[in-house]
Amino acid sequence: MHLREPGYEHKETVLSGSRAAAAGGFTGVACMPNTSPAIDNAATVGLILDKASEAKFNVWPIAAISHGREGKALVEMAELVDCGAIGFSDDGDPVKDSHLMRTALEYSRMLGVPIIEHAEDPALTVLGSMHEGQMSALLGVRGMPGIAEDVMVARDILIAEYTGGHLHIAHLSTARSLQLIRDARKRGVHVTCEVTPHHLTMSDEDVRASGLDPNWKMSPPLRTQADVKALRRGITDGTIDFIATDHAPHHLDDKDTTFEDAAFGITSLETALAVVITELVKPGVIDLPQAVALMSTNAAGVFNLPAGTLKKGSEANVTIFDPDQEWTVDADGFESKSVNSPWVGQTLTGRATDVIVQGRRFRV
Ligand SMILES: [Zn+2]
């Protein structure tokens, strides 16, 4: 998820993002480093942790892989892990340079932290705004083909296999990439992955139905119904480790324009739990214990965090939620500074009623 601080405080801050997370039933978040400046040094990691402690919320920073996320020079990974970085990613952009990815994965093996990839070959997505397929052709919108993700996932798996590092694919979206990961795991490659609530519940047909509303524009784009079906199989058979929001707040200025010109990304912290309950638990795709594992325990496991557990002696981070409470998503009620959500106006089922963070009731 993206907290946007430092640099884009008009979209979100550590404080507003923490409140949005708690409103959605999360007791902690891991934030991506595509801020300005990027989270690529000890001081910026420290700034995030200071702001998190002021907010009295659990924020785990993910640091950039390369300085300034420029894809060139590797950051001081060991130092940043010592300062509190839980993983590394140039998210927003992929790691184009295979040698940089190799070096990062070699350090990942030594340090025991994941390298998190935004899997996209940018040469295949130039000027694209939605998934490339029948819908983009019908709508006359330049597409981003699924293979842009698949070729990057395939490359990264091969490098992870060669180096023995821990590769984590962020916001996985295609059936083909999922199959590549399934096969790699059978060979013993250390690869994990996550999927967003929107890629599990919406397709490019919803982009068409929205009338090209910019709140249906994100990267990776909403794929086909066949991909959605495959991803749902991936969460039930355990190939997909967890559900992550990819909360990507944007100011109205970045979204109040044409579909092609709008920024990529949607806010999702405040609706994620309800979308999972409404679209996946109620129809019987997964059961409630599976949903809880996919949204807490499993993520903590992938990142080796002392979280997502009620074990005796562990810090009290607890969400109490009512799985049957119906509510209508109202942008005015958002704690996030941004309202770029495709669920606004929809009635969803399931809502957090109490969130306890670090042993204290978190007041939103
Ligand atoms: Zn990304």
Side-chain angles (χ1 to χ4, degrees), residues 157-205:
I157 284 172
L158 292 174
I159 302 174
E161 189 165 18
Y162 187 69
T163 57
H166 177 186
L167 170 68
H168 179 78
I169 302 296
H171 43 58
L172 184 87
S173 73
T174 74
R176 193 66 187 275
S177 289
L178 180 68
Q179 190 56 42
L180 287 166
I181 290 170
R182 198 178 270 129
D183 294 343
R185 282 202 176 167
K186 282 191 194 130
R187 300 198 300 276
V189 183
H190 193 181
V191 52
T192 53
C193 64
E194 64 182 50
V195 66
T196 70
H198 39 285
H199 289 107
L200 284 168
T201 56
M202 293 192 285
S203 73
D204 57 352
E205 293 179 30

Side-chain angles (χ1 to χ4, degrees), residues 17-242:
S18 297
R19 287 181 171 165
F26 293 93
T27 59
V29 292
C31 63
M32 284 297 190
N34 52 338
T35 49
S36 182
I39 306 174
D40 63 358
N41 61 76
T44 313
V45 170
L47 171 90
I48 302 293
L49 292 174
D50 286 349
K51 295 268 179 185
S53 93
E54 276 170 38
K56 297 186 168 57
F57 202 67
N58 295 310
V59 178
W60 293 286
I62 293 164
I65 293 170
S66 62
H67 284 288
R69 295 192 315 111
E70 287 174 349
K72 291 180 184 129
L74 194 70
V75 297
E76 298 293 332
M77 283 176 60
E79 184 195 353
L80 293 176
V81 168
D82 285 345
C83 296
I86 61 156
F88 294 86
S89 179
D90 274 354
D91 189 32
D93 295 295
V95 177
K96 278 178 273 183
D97 185 316
S98 301
H99 176 69
L100 179 67
M101 186 48 112
R102 173 195 174 159
T103 316
L105 280 164
E106 280 169 349
Y107 276 97
S108 144
R109 181 171 50 84
M110 288 186 275
L111 297 168
V113 291
I115 299 299
I116 305 158
E117 175 74 299
H118 169 110
E120 174 185 350
D121 183 335
L124 288 165
T125 56
V126 179
L127 299 177
S129 303
M130 68 178 288
H131 175 69
E132 180 179 294
Q134 211 184 345
M135 289 302 128
S136 65
L138 275 171
L139 292 163
V141 172
R142 187 100 164 235
M144 307 162 80
I147 53 160
E149 179 167 322
D150 305 337
V151 295
M152 214 53 155
V153 169
R155 182 204 70 170
D156 289 348
I157 284 172
L158 292 174
I159 302 174
E161 189 165 18
Y162 187 69
T163 57
H166 177 186
L167 170 68
H168 179 78
I169 302 296
H171 43 58
L172 184 87
S173 73
T174 74
R176 193 66 187 275
S177 289
L178 180 68
Q179 190 56 42
L180 287 166
I181 290 170
R182 198 178 270 129
D183 294 343
R185 282 202 176 167
K186 282 191 194 130
R187 300 198 300 276
V189 183
H190 193 181
V191 52
T192 53
C193 64
E194 64 182 50
V195 66
T196 70
H198 39 285
H199 289 107
L200 284 168
T201 56
M202 293 192 285
S203 73
D204 57 352
E205 293 179 30
D206 295 294
V207 177
R208 188 185 182 205
S210 79
L212 287 177
D213 184 322
N215 285 336
W216 272 258
K217 180 179 179 180
M218 66 287 284
S219 177
L222 296 172
R223 302 289 185 186
T224 66
Q225 285 193 347
D227 291 302
V228 174
K229 217 172 134 192
L231 295 179
R232 287 179 173 207
R233 241 189 336 266
I235 56 168
T236 53
D237 74 9
T239 310
I240 293 168
D241 293 87
F242 60 88

